[in-house]
Amino acid sequence: MAAVDQREIMQRALGVLTLTYDGAGSNDYLRMALKSLQEGVFSYEVKVDGELNEAGAQALKQAMDQVLSQFGWFTAGLLYAFHGVAQAYENDYEDADVQEILRQLALRLAD
């Protein structure tokens, strides 16, 4: 699998925030958003010079799985917080347009 560059990761992050915002009526918006990050961003490939025995390979996989799981929960917390802040912003400002803010950020990032 080809590595994802930093700009693409940031673009996916904005996409995830958009999914989070758009999925506000759904109870599984966090699951949908995290699933979209798994493709390329949370996936990993570790190259090892030399030989790696089965026990070492298994230990490496378990360690990476633990890190990715914790990072996934950390990201879920950030998305949950974003959703709450976006809702509060919209409640306080009638003309708030979170979708437009996210769209402008994505365009700025693309430049």
Side-chain angles (χ1 to χ4, degrees):
M1 170 177 280
V4 179
D5 68 21
Q6 290 97 352
R7 181 178 296 200
E8 187 176 349
I9 291 171
M10 291 174 68
Q11 288 170 331
R12 287 186 189 203
L14 281 171
V16 167
L17 291 179
T18 302
L19 270 176
T20 299
Y21 176 78
D22 289 344
S26 169
N27 286 334
D28 59 2
Y29 69 91
L30 284 174
R31 186 179 56 79
M32 291 184 328
L34 288 174
K35 183 176 177 163
S36 73
L37 280 177
Q38 287 175 341
E39 298 167 1
V41 177
F42 285 164
S43 61
Y44 62 92
E45 183 177 303
V46 178
K47 294 184 181 187
V48 177
D49 292 335
E51 291 186 30
L52 186 64
N53 65 26
E54 185 64 30
Q58 189 63 24
L60 181 60
K61 183 182 179 334
Q62 287 176 349
M64 291 300 296
D65 288 346
Q66 286 176 12
V67 168
L68 290 173
S69 175
Q70 291 172 352
F71 189 70
W73 282 109
F74 178 80
T75 303
L78 291 175
L79 294 173
Y80 182 74
F82 167 78
H83 179 68
V85 169
Q87 274 189 322
Y89 177 64
E90 289 177 332
N91 290 342
D92 289 347
Y93 299 97
E94 290 180 17
D95 60 344
D97 192 348
V98 173
Q99 284 182 319
E100 180 60 20
I101 291 169
L102 291 170
R103 190 180 76 73
Q104 288 297 321
L105 288 170
L107 289 173
R108 200 175 324 161
L109 185 59
D111 286 340

